[in-house]
Amino acid sequence: MTNIGIGILGGGYMGKAHAVAMSSVGAIFNTGLRPTLEMVCASSAQSAEGYRRAYGFQRATDNWRELVNDPKIQAVIIATPQQTHRDIALAAFALGKPVFCEKPLGANMDDSLVMTTAAEASGIVNMVGFNYIRTPASQYARQLIASGEIGDITWFRGEHTEDFYADPEAPASWRTSGASNGTMGDLAPHMINAALALIGPVARVMAEIETVHHERPGGSVTNDDHAQMMCRFENGTMGQFYFSRIATGRKMGYAYEITGTKGAIRFDQEDQNALWLYRMDGPEAKRGFTKILTGPAHPDYEPFCQGPGHGTGYQDQIIIEARDFLKAIETGQSIWPTFRDGHEVNCVVDAAMASAQSGAWQDISKLQAQESIK
Amino acid sequence: MTNIGIGILGGGYMGKAHAVAMSSVGAIFNTGLRPTLEMVCASSAQSAEGYRRAYGFQRATDNWRELVNDPKIQAVIIATPQQTHRDIALAAFALGKPVFCEKPLGANMDDSLVMTTAAEASGIVNMVGFNYIRTPASQYARQLIASGEIGDITWFRGEHTEDFYADPEAPASWRTSGASNGTMGDLAPHMINAALALIGPVARVMAEIETVHHERPGGSVTNDDHAQMMCRFENGTMGQFYFSRIATGRKMGYAYEITGTKGAIRFDQEDQNALWLYRMDGPEAKRGFTKILTGPAHPDYEPFCQGPGHGTGYQDQIIIEARDFLKAIETGQSIWPTFRDGHEVNCVVDAAMASAQSGAWQDISKLQAQESIK
Amino acid sequence: MTNIGIGILGGGYMGKAHAVAMSSVGAIFNTGLRPTLEMVCASSAQSAEGYRRAYGFQRATDNWRELVNDPKIQAVIIATPQQTHRDIALAAFALGKPVFCEKPLGANMDDSLVMTTAAEASGIVNMVGFNYIRTPASQYARQLIASGEIGDITWFRGEHTEDFYADPEAPASWRTSGASNGTMGDLAPHMINAALALIGPVARVMAEIETVHHERPGGSVTNDDHAQMMCRFENGTMGQFYFSRIATGRKMGYAYEITGTKGAIRFDQEDQNALWLYRMDGPEAKRGFTKILTGPAHPDYEPFCQGPGHGTGYQDQIIIEARDFLKAIETGQSIWPTFRDGHEVNCVVDAAMASAQSGAWQDISKLQAQESIK
Amino acid sequence: MTNIGIGILGGGYMGKAHAVAMSSVGAIFNTGLRPTLEMVCASSAQSAEGYRRAYGFQRATDNWRELVNDPKIQAVIIATPQQTHRDIALAAFALGKPVFCEKPLGANMDDSLVMTTAAEASGIVNMVGFNYIRTPASQYARQLIASGEIGDITWFRGEHTEDFYADPEAPASWRTSGASNGTMGDLAPHMINAALALIGPVARVMAEIETVHHERPGGSVTNDDHAQMMCRFENGTMGQFYFSRIATGRKMGYAYEITGTKGAIRFDQEDQNALWLYRMDGPEAKRGFTKILTGPAHPDYEPFCQGPGHGTGYQDQIIIEARDFLKAIETGQSIWPTFRDGHEVNCVVDAAMASAQSGAWQDISKLQAQESIK
């Protein structure tokens, strides 16, 4: 086992989650590399020091370059606002330091293209933080589909719905301006990533993106409250999406339904330890959706608990990410999802925005994007 | 109490359901008019006689005009294939006889327009058979929305999904040809009717309609397996639909989710005795979707059973329709849903088909249709 | 097809249900015997006449002997209070008329023994009204267990819980006095019947029976609010029961869980169209409880609807009873559950009451009862 | 913040869970005391060294006395087999070192009495490991009941059911001998602890304890497979329990249903992030069980995630225990559940075993036990 110095940029919601993950991932997965919490960076020296003490870092700074440049920092985790992702990542790659970047990869598709180009040109390990697809249930769903368990896929429906802005009287905040903070920029990427992972690349989309509550106490709202999308996957599958931050009653509505010619899968993150599987075999009288509780028989469950049905939670998803990031660094081989995967999500988001403006179907510009990378 | 002679055209699936409903509706609802099963019509004399004996009709015929013209027939129920609806209904209205017509109202929008025009010109009682909206749960959902219980509606998602053609090896049949027998023609009307009833008129739609399995044992498939649709309601609400006969695992997937600014409603016909209601009030810690079991406190439940949670079923929906049809005849006032309502559903279906062909948004042609009626 | 004159005693809750059932059973099941609603009996001439008009009977009476003796009455349905069951049934048997008697069979075990003795001595068709076991789901559960699908049974848990007296301020009524109107006398028989049908005879019980709210507006309560019971079945299986009319939130909590060495079954009447089946086979990763929606593949479903998942309800259970009663009359062979089965349920109830008094295990006195019959 | 040296005895299932918890608890809860993993003890030097490397301890030993006596060990966590608990705990208390002991507190009631006496006599911080009651949902259930939200409690039903020995062909192991490894000794304590926490002390019990599969591949089974119990709480509430390791299909069936005069609560650990609450207020039509998803509004949730419905898991329960243990050490005040609470659970287990032997009701001997302590 070897120690590795970790630097985390951002100490809020996701910064804390990564700090905790790095503290426990070694014991849970018996990793080859063992993280040391070297330095945390925040927007002020005071808050950085607060995070340092709370999470157990050695040092704190309010200067991201200091963190990236520090010789004891051997890997960088970016958990700062989207518009900062690009510069930090480029600086880290320039120094040959592996980068884990929270989603969305950058503030827009231009950012993510540059970041992906830099990552691939440098050959340095890179990863993007789509945590929800990391549950044992969703990992197992991917396996089931890949193995043909439900036959040829004929339909995909996905949503990412929450209700933190369902109340029209909830005040304006940093969340209510900036496209990358709206529903399409901030929530949609998770479910688009899931769709790409479960079904494959998207060929074209037709979207509607809408701000329902234009005024809130404290100011105007300049980004979107909810959005819907129809899509066609490259393999011909028809798909449908809904994204919302005003979905009253929905707390973590990361949910999908997948239909195949031999079966079907249903999942809802609000009951993240269950996967529903229907198989078109055996006598009709015994058919139905089976509620599978995740357990040691499913991917990445056993290191958390030997008992099936005992359940993993949100934080455990981040720990699984940490395990993969450390393993990628150890082997020098990036592990899915890479910056490239994050960029492909952004391409779909970008196409949806274009479609919503034109009112017409929009092809995904990914292929062009790949051209311009070369 | 007065007797009323009933004639039913068609003795299969729906014909039987209506015969049973007319046998029991009087005792259940203590109706003013009491039905007598006068005559049943089927495609052959032999099958008609079989239906007569099985369901307890006085007489049988294989000639629909004989039934409609018979002086003892005081009301007509049409449960024959869609392409026959038009001529039968027009003949009945010409004789001043009330008509209950199964959905879809006719084989296409032209039919339903003519039928609606004839119904309204005649002033005779008319009704169309959307049974699923008749459950106590869905009736209550309508009341909740109308009373503002969940605030202003911001989102509607509806589906009608079944899997009777999910198996690619299921053989071709009468169901696999003719637009009115496809998913958009046959299944979609139920959920479109629900959307109109719950939210209000639809302004425009954007649809994809697809045949997934073009060849089946026994022949080619010439109508659609599944379809998706985005819509905008006239009140501004965004909506999303999915219709499928290949939705593996789904048996009676008539389901909707409705979001408002003060609450939300979820319903799935596969558990038709439960309605899920979320209300954005009280302490956050106690909020959640409430699973309301239907009972005497909900519309049209008590006549079936005094005990809550004891449950109503499919046949009971048809009995509720029968109650309304008899009451309409008794009072001379048509009761929702009338032919007009059936026609409005067909207008949405028609617009969806046009949109799927053009690949563009399609306004609903209903207003024009109304013009041409006048 | 032959007509058969039906007389129903009692026109309230269950009397209505049977009148409706007799009106529609012929059309639904294409029965050989076709019921005619000849006469209804109620406690006053006025209420009897009201029932006659509402349900469509030919005649009405307030004298049960008049009904039983009437030559046009060819079969008798008893839906009057428990203490009246005995005399009516004995009179009917004396005249050679088949009897359907609502549960519980009589006011106590003495009654039910006499009634069972009379039924068996007469050789006349007899049946007792346990309707909940008639759902397609519970019938299928019986088949699954009988066929060994879940292996040797190791555990049974059953409950019948409702909340109509959960509110301590709900006023006293006829329901709050008389052992046969308490929870043990009125609700428990349904689930005890289910246990006997699903697992087999009970050997001994250990029970607690309790009145929680001794005083209610309008008077004292002299029967039980809830009861619990441990049991040992004759086949060695351990079992557990709970019965309650004060189970706040429970509307129709007729629910059971059955564990076997190869699988398990779960059922809850509040979602009566679903049966949950777990089978200990196939890969561990795919195991889980399968939610089976009832459909044409399950017992007695298809006559109500050809579509799976479309659902049956409370009234349909009574119609299934009617079908069996008519068939028994037609063939001269009683069909489960007979008076004997109703008596066996009463034996368990009686033993539970004895156990609750003594605080000790109580053997079921059924064997002795059978002796005294002979 | 101050560091505290932690020693853990046992490196298996629970030992790992506690090591992980001590690694991350500081960052999650910003604790005053920050744990250092000083030493781990296992049954062999080799396995101890393996645990040391895997979990990141400084040192390893196969001699529990060495660990307890080590001056850098400032607190001891006991996660070894039940029969070893007593000696270790007594040694630690003698040295004035706080002890966290896994459940059950000792191998039997004698052990737990001695351990409790020693803990209380020493005045040293002590805690017992009932982790399942630590979920935000179950903590909230306790609050709801304590605040009178569901009125006076009239009924409690609890189970702890798993199926790891449901297969009769599963081989014998250390789990199949020794009363403390049987279902009553090993699984029942969790749910008994829940009952005591939710409802209050138990006055008397009536139990059946059974070995269903006496022979397994590899040897005879000498402890119990499942057990049921009726109880009376001291506050008069009636209760019912079931415990099983052969509950086919049940993975983590720690479940309870609690009825009160104003509401009801239902919980099932297999969906540990949901609590179901029924309240008898408002219009009947809107009543039903509300599925509350845990979130920041519930106890101990927010430090794991700011988003409601995002979910906590098994490991998080252990982290909450760690937080309380550290806080107790910091303040010198033991926090619930203490050894006393663990002992009270054992008293119920012991009474159940006595009842199962005698076939009669058994009073809880706790009061006597308290006498003998004094």
Side-chain angles (χ1 to χ4, degrees):
Chain A
M1 288 189 294
T2 311
N3 287 335
I4 177 169
I6 303 290
I8 299 184
L9 298 119
Y13 194 145
M14 293 312 304
K16 177 179 176 179
H18 288 291
V20 170
M22 285 295 166
S23 299
S24 53
V25 61
I28 288 172
F29 282 105
N30 200 4
T31 56
L33 290 179
R34 294 298 171 114
T36 304
L37 293 179
E38 276 295 336
M39 198 184 300
V40 63
C41 174
S43 53
S44 75
Q46 187 179 10
S47 65
E49 173 58 17
Y51 293 140
R52 186 197 68 74
R53 290 173 56 91
Y55 309 149
F57 283 88
Q58 300 291 325
R59 290 171 291 157
T61 180
D62 61 354
N63 179 343
W64 68 261
R65 291 184 192 280
E66 180 186 339
L67 184 150
V68 173
N69 288 331
D70 189 274
K72 285 194 170 174
I73 300 295
Q74 296 167 285
V76 170
I77 295 175
I78 306 176
T80 45
Q82 291 95 318
Q83 63 273 20
T84 67
H85 291 182
R86 176 174 167 160
D87 288 350
I88 300 169
L90 297 190
F93 289 136
L95 292 165
K97 298 187 178 181
V99 176
F100 180 100
C101 183
E102 263 307 314
K103 52 61 47 186
L105 189 54
N108 50 51
M109 201 178 75
D110 286 344
D111 273 11
S112 66
L113 176 56
V114 170
M115 292 168 76
T116 302
T117 305
E120 297 186 348
S122 73
I124 306 299
V125 161
N126 57 94
M127 183 176 286
V128 63
F130 293 114
N131 56 290
Y132 296 117
I133 197 69
R134 300 288 193 164
T135 54
S138 284
Q139 289 193 56
Y140 186 55
R142 292 183 71 188
Q143 289 182 2
L144 286 169
I145 293 168
S147 69
E149 184 76 22
I150 63 169
D152 297 326
I153 305 305
T154 58
W155 173 249
F156 174 89
R157 189 179 79 77
E159 65 179 80
H160 189 126
T161 48
E162 306 193 28
D163 72 354
F164 55 83
Y165 262 125
D167 185 352
E169 296 306 310
S173 74
W174 62 269
R175 285 182 173 279
T176 47
S177 66
S180 62
N181 295 322
T183 294
M184 202 66 214
D186 187 44
L187 300 184
H190 278 300
M191 184 42 60
I192 293 170
N193 163 257
L196 298 176
L198 291 159
I199 311 297
V202 170
R204 57 198 178 93
V205 298
M206 172 78 211
E208 282 197 297
I209 303 176
E210 186 181 41
T211 305
V212 171
H213 304 299
H214 291 279
E215 297 296 329
R216 291 181 175 277
S220 294
V221 176
T222 59
N223 57 18
D224 51 311
D225 283 326
H226 70 161
Q228 68 169 320
M229 189 164 84
M230 306 198 303
C231 89
R232 184 68 58 168
F233 290 90
E234 288 186 7
N235 66 12
T237 303
M238 212 159 80
Q240 189 178 60
F241 294 83
Y242 181 56
F243 315 111
S244 179
R245 66 185 182 192
I246 59 166
T248 314
R250 274 301 228 168
K251 305 306 175 187
M252 178 66 283
Y254 174 96
Y256 51 80
E257 301 172 10
I258 303 167
T259 305
T261 52
K262 295 181 181 170
I265 286 173
R266 315 191 97 193
F267 175 77
D268 188 330
Q269 187 79 13
E270 290 182 354
D271 187 9
Q272 68 187 279
N273 292 297
L275 187 73
W276 295 76
L277 173 65
Y278 182 95
R279 297 169 71 209
M280 196 197 288
D281 62 8
E284 179 68 31
K286 289 186 201 163
R287 291 185 193 170
F289 276 92
T290 297
K291 185 182 183 181
I292 300 170
L293 292 176
T294 50
H298 302 108
D300 283 341
Y301 180 97
E302 193 163 24
F304 292 97
C305 184
Q306 294 172 33
H310 289 49
T312 56
Y314 174 80
Q315 179 65 51
D316 301 332
Q317 301 154 23
I318 316 299
I319 295 172
I320 294 171
E321 289 183 331
R323 187 270 322 266
D324 278 350
F325 187 45
L326 294 176
K327 189 172 174 191
I329 296 170
E330 194 178 8
T331 63
Q333 299 294 322
S334 287
I335 292 179
W336 184 93
T338 63
F339 276 25
R340 163 70 55 193
D341 299 294
H343 175 61
E344 291 193 2
V345 168
N346 285 7
C347 289
V348 176
V349 170
D350 192 74
M353 288 174 172
S355 166
Q357 283 226 325
S358 70
W361 283 93
Q362 174 70 45
D363 286 346
I364 305 302
S365 55
K366 179 190 50 172
L367 295 177
Q368 294 175 297
Q370 289 182 323
E371 284 310 310
S372 53
I373 290 176
K374 290 169 189 169
Chain B
M1 287 188 296
T2 312
N3 287 333
I4 178 168
I6 303 290
I8 298 184
L9 298 119
Y13 194 144
M14 292 313 301
K16 176 179 177 180
H18 288 291
V20 170
M22 286 294 166
S23 299
S24 53
V25 63
I28 289 173
F29 282 104
N30 200 6
T31 56
L33 292 179
R34 294 299 171 114
T36 305
L37 293 179
E38 276 296 335
M39 198 185 297
V40 63
C41 175
S43 54
S44 75
Q46 187 178 9
S47 64
E49 173 58 17
Y51 293 141
R52 188 197 66 75
R53 291 173 56 91
Y55 309 150
F57 283 88
Q58 300 292 323
R59 289 171 292 157
T61 181
D62 62 352
N63 179 343
W64 69 262
R65 291 184 191 278
E66 182 186 338
L67 184 149
V68 172
N69 289 331
D70 189 274
K72 287 195 168 173
I73 300 296
Q74 295 168 283
V76 171
I77 295 173
I78 306 176
T80 46
Q82 290 96 316
Q83 63 273 19
T84 67
H85 290 183
R86 175 174 168 159
D87 289 350
I88 299 169
L90 297 190
F93 289 136
L95 292 165
K97 299 188 177 181
V99 177
F100 179 101
C101 183
E102 263 307 315
K103 52 66 37 187
L105 189 54
N108 50 51
M109 201 177 74
D110 286 343
D111 273 10
S112 66
L113 177 56
V114 171
M115 294 169 75
T116 301
T117 305
E120 297 186 348
S122 71
I124 307 298
V125 160
N126 58 94
M127 184 176 284
V128 64
F130 293 115
N131 56 290
Y132 296 117
I133 196 71
R134 300 288 194 163
T135 54
S138 283
Q139 289 192 57
Y140 186 55
R142 290 183 72 188
Q143 289 183 1
L144 287 169
I145 293 168
S147 69
E149 184 77 24
I150 63 169
D152 297 325
I153 306 304
T154 57
W155 173 248
F156 175 88
R157 189 179 77 78
E159 65 178 81
H160 189 124
T161 48
E162 306 195 27
D163 72 354
F164 55 83
Y165 263 125
D167 185 352
E169 297 306 311
S173 74
W174 63 270
R175 286 182 174 278
T176 47
S177 65
S180 61
N181 295 321
T183 294
M184 201 68 214
D186 187 44
L187 300 184
H190 277 300
M191 185 43 60
I192 292 170
N193 163 258
L196 297 176
L198 292 159
I199 311 297
V202 169
R204 56 197 178 92
V205 298
M206 171 79 213
E208 282 197 298
I209 304 177
E210 185 181 43
T211 305
V212 171
H213 304 298
H214 291 277
E215 297 295 330
R216 290 182 175 277
S220 293
V221 176
T222 59
N223 56 18
D224 52 310
D225 284 325
H226 70 161
Q228 69 169 320
M229 189 164 84
M230 307 199 302
C231 90
R232 183 69 57 167
F233 290 90
E234 288 186 7
N235 65 11
T237 303
M238 214 159 79
Q240 189 179 62
F241 295 83
Y242 180 57
F243 315 111
S244 178
R245 66 185 183 191
I246 59 167
T248 313
R250 272 301 227 169
K251 306 306 175 186
M252 178 64 289
Y254 174 94
Y256 51 80
E257 300 171 10
I258 303 167
T259 305
T261 52
K262 294 182 181 171
I265 286 173
R266 316 192 96 191
F267 175 76
D268 188 329
Q269 188 78 13
E270 289 182 356
D271 187 9
Q272 67 188 278
N273 292 297
L275 187 74
W276 295 76
L277 173 64
Y278 182 96
R279 297 170 72 210
M280 196 197 287
D281 61 8
E284 179 69 31
K286 289 185 199 163
R287 291 186 193 168
F289 275 92
T290 297
K291 184 182 183 179
I292 300 169
L293 293 175
T294 51
H298 302 107
D300 283 341
Y301 180 97
E302 192 163 25
F304 292 97
C305 185
Q306 294 172 36
H310 289 50
T312 57
Y314 174 80
Q315 179 66 50
D316 300 332
Q317 301 154 23
I318 316 298
I319 295 170
I320 294 171
E321 288 184 331
R323 187 270 322 265
D324 277 351
F325 188 45
L326 294 176
K327 189 173 176 189
I329 296 170
E330 194 178 7
T331 63
Q333 300 293 323
S334 287
I335 292 177
W336 184 93
T338 64
F339 277 25
R340 165 69 55 194
D341 300 295
H343 175 61
E344 290 193 4
V345 168
N346 285 6
C347 290
V348 176
V349 170
D350 193 75
M353 287 174 172
S355 166
Q357 283 226 325
S358 69
W361 283 91
Q362 173 71 45
D363 285 347
I364 305 301
S365 54
K366 180 189 48 167
L367 295 177
Q368 293 176 298
Q370 288 182 323
E371 286 309 310
S372 52
I373 290 176
K374 289 171 189 171
Chain C
M1 288 188 294
T2 311
N3 287 335
I4 177 168
I6 303 291
I8 299 184
L9 299 119
Y13 194 145
M14 293 313 302
K16 176 179 178 180
H18 287 292
V20 170
M22 285 295 166
S23 299
S24 54
V25 62
I28 288 171
F29 281 105
N30 201 4
T31 56
L33 290 179
R34 294 298 171 115
T36 305
L37 294 180
E38 276 297 335
M39 197 185 299
V40 64
C41 175
S43 53
S44 76
Q46 187 178 10
S47 66
E49 173 59 16
Y51 294 141
R52 187 197 67 75
R53 291 173 55 92
Y55 310 150
F57 283 88
Q58 300 292 324
R59 290 171 292 157
T61 180
D62 62 352
N63 179 342
W64 69 260
R65 291 185 192 278
E66 181 186 337
L67 184 148
V68 172
N69 289 330
D70 188 275
K72 286 195 169 174
I73 300 295
Q74 296 168 284
V76 171
I77 295 173
I78 306 175
T80 46
Q82 291 94 318
Q83 63 273 21
T84 68
H85 290 182
R86 174 174 168 160
D87 289 349
I88 300 169
L90 296 190
F93 289 136
L95 292 164
K97 299 187 179 182
V99 178
F100 179 100
C101 183
E102 263 307 315
K103 50 65 46 186
L105 190 53
N108 50 50
M109 202 177 75
D110 287 343
D111 273 11
S112 66
L113 177 56
V114 171
M115 292 168 76
T116 301
T117 306
E120 296 186 347
S122 72
I124 307 298
V125 161
N126 57 94
M127 183 176 286
V128 65
F130 293 115
N131 56 290
Y132 297 117
I133 196 71
R134 299 289 193 163
T135 54
S138 283
Q139 289 193 55
Y140 187 54
R142 292 183 72 188
Q143 289 183 2
L144 286 170
I145 293 168
S147 69
E149 184 76 22
I150 62 168
D152 297 326
I153 307 304
T154 57
W155 173 249
F156 174 88
R157 187 179 78 79
E159 66 180 79
H160 188 126
T161 47
E162 306 194 28
D163 71 354
F164 55 84
Y165 262 126
D167 185 353
E169 296 306 310
S173 73
W174 62 269
R175 285 183 174 278
T176 47
S177 66
S180 62
N181 295 321
T183 293
M184 202 67 213
D186 187 44
L187 300 183
H190 278 300
M191 185 42 60
I192 293 170
N193 163 259
L196 298 176
L198 291 159
I199 312 296
V202 169
R204 57 197 178 92
V205 298
M206 172 78 212
E208 281 197 298
I209 303 176
E210 185 181 40
T211 305
V212 171
H213 305 298
H214 291 278
E215 296 296 329
R216 290 181 176 276
S220 294
V221 176
T222 60
N223 57 17
D224 50 311
D225 285 325
H226 70 162
Q228 69 169 321
M229 189 165 85
M230 306 198 303
C231 90
R232 184 68 58 167
F233 291 90
E234 287 187 6
N235 66 11
T237 302
M238 211 158 81
Q240 189 178 61
F241 295 83
Y242 180 57
F243 315 111
S244 178
R245 66 186 182 190
I246 58 166
T248 314
R250 272 302 227 170
K251 305 306 175 185
M252 180 65 284
Y254 174 94
Y256 51 80
E257 300 170 10
I258 304 167
T259 305
T261 51
K262 293 182 181 172
I265 286 172
R266 317 192 95 191
F267 176 76
D268 189 330
Q269 188 78 12
E270 289 182 354
D271 187 9
Q272 68 188 278
N273 292 297
L275 187 74
W276 294 77
L277 173 65
Y278 183 96
R279 298 169 71 210
M280 197 197 287
D281 61 8
E284 179 69 31
K286 289 185 200 162
R287 291 186 193 170
F289 276 92
T290 297
K291 184 182 184 180
I292 300 170
L293 292 175
T294 51
H298 302 108
D300 283 341
Y301 180 97
E302 191 164 25
F304 292 97
C305 185
Q306 294 172 34
H310 289 50
T312 57
Y314 174 80
Q315 179 65 51
D316 301 331
Q317 301 154 24
I318 315 299
I319 295 170
I320 294 170
E321 289 183 331
R323 189 269 322 267
D324 278 350
F325 187 45
L326 293 176
K327 189 173 175 189
I329 296 170
E330 194 178 9
T331 63
Q333 300 294 322
S334 287
I335 292 178
W336 185 92
T338 64
F339 277 23
R340 165 67 56 195
D341 300 295
H343 174 62
E344 291 193 2
V345 168
N346 286 6
C347 290
V348 176
V349 170
D350 194 75
M353 288 173 171
S355 166
Q357 284 226 325
S358 70
W361 283 91
Q362 175 69 44
D363 286 345
I364 306 301
S365 55
K366 181 190 48 170
L367 295 177
Q368 293 174 297
Q370 288 181 324
E371 285 308 312
S372 53
I373 290 175
K374 290 169 192 170
Chain D
M1 288 190 295
T2 313
N3 287 334
I4 178 169
I6 303 291
I8 298 183
L9 298 119
Y13 194 146
M14 292 313 302
K16 176 179 176 180
H18 288 291
V20 170
M22 286 294 166
S23 299
S24 52
V25 62
I28 290 173
F29 282 104
N30 200 5
T31 56
L33 291 179
R34 295 297 172 114
T36 305
L37 294 180
E38 276 296 335
M39 198 186 297
V40 62
C41 173
S43 54
S44 75
Q46 186 178 10
S47 65
E49 173 58 16
Y51 293 140
R52 187 195 68 73
R53 292 173 55 92
Y55 309 150
F57 282 88
Q58 301 292 323
R59 289 171 291 156
T61 179
D62 62 352
N63 179 342
W64 69 261
R65 292 185 191 279
E66 179 185 339
L67 184 148
V68 172
N69 290 331
D70 188 275
K72 286 194 169 174
I73 300 294
Q74 296 168 282
V76 170
I77 295 173
I78 306 176
T80 45
Q82 291 93 317
Q83 63 274 18
T84 66
H85 290 182
R86 175 174 169 159
D87 290 349
I88 299 170
L90 297 190
F93 290 136
L95 291 166
K97 298 187 178 183
V99 177
F100 179 100
C101 183
E102 264 308 313
K103 49 66 40 187
L105 189 55
N108 50 50
M109 201 177 74
D110 286 344
D111 274 10
S112 66
L113 177 56
V114 169
M115 292 167 76
T116 301
T117 306
E120 297 185 349
S122 72
I124 307 298
V125 161
N126 58 94
M127 184 177 284
V128 63
F130 293 114
N131 55 290
Y132 298 117
I133 197 69
R134 300 288 193 164
T135 55
S138 283
Q139 289 193 57
Y140 186 56
R142 293 183 71 188
Q143 289 183 3
L144 286 169
I145 293 169
S147 68
E149 184 77 23
I150 64 169
D152 296 327
I153 306 304
T154 58
W155 173 249
F156 175 88
R157 188 180 78 78
E159 65 178 81
H160 189 125
T161 48
E162 305 193 28
D163 72 353
F164 56 82
Y165 262 125
D167 185 353
E169 296 306 311
S173 73
W174 63 269
R175 285 183 173 279
T176 48
S177 67
S180 61
N181 296 321
T183 294
M184 202 67 214
D186 186 44
L187 300 184
H190 278 301
M191 185 43 59
I192 293 170
N193 161 259
L196 298 176
L198 291 158
I199 312 298
V202 170
R204 57 198 179 92
V205 297
M206 171 78 213
E208 282 196 297
I209 304 176
E210 185 181 42
T211 305
V212 172
H213 305 298
H214 291 277
E215 297 294 330
R216 292 183 175 275
S220 295
V221 176
T222 59
N223 57 17
D224 51 311
D225 284 326
H226 69 161
Q228 68 170 320
M229 187 164 86
M230 307 199 303
C231 90
R232 184 67 59 169
F233 291 89
E234 288 186 7
N235 66 12
T237 302
M238 213 159 80
Q240 189 178 61
F241 295 82
Y242 180 57
F243 315 110
S244 177
R245 65 184 182 192
I246 59 166
T248 313
R250 273 302 227 169
K251 306 306 175 187
M252 178 64 289
Y254 173 94
Y256 50 80
E257 300 170 12
I258 303 166
T259 305
T261 53
K262 295 182 181 171
I265 286 173
R266 316 193 96 192
F267 176 77
D268 189 330
Q269 187 79 13
E270 289 181 355
D271 187 9
Q272 69 188 277
N273 292 297
L275 187 73
W276 295 76
L277 173 64
Y278 183 97
R279 298 169 71 210
M280 197 197 287
D281 62 8
E284 179 68 32
K286 290 186 200 162
R287 291 186 193 168
F289 275 93
T290 297
K291 184 181 184 180
I292 300 170
L293 292 176
T294 50
H298 303 107
D300 283 341
Y301 181 96
E302 192 164 24
F304 291 98
C305 184
Q306 294 173 36
H310 290 50
T312 57
Y314 175 79
Q315 178 67 49
D316 300 333
Q317 300 154 24
I318 315 299
I319 294 171
I320 294 171
E321 290 183 331
R323 188 270 322 264
D324 278 350
F325 187 45
L326 293 176
K327 190 173 174 189
I329 296 170
E330 194 178 5
T331 63
Q333 299 294 322
S334 287
I335 293 178
W336 183 92
T338 64
F339 277 25
R340 164 67 57 193
D341 300 294
H343 175 62
E344 290 192 4
V345 168
N346 285 6
C347 290
V348 176
V349 170
D350 193 73
M353 288 174 171
S355 166
Q357 283 225 326
S358 70
W361 283 91
Q362 174 69 46
D363 286 345
I364 305 302
S365 54
K366 180 189 48 168
L367 295 176
Q368 294 176 298
Q370 289 181 321
E371 286 308 312
S372 54
I373 290 176
K374 290 169 189 170

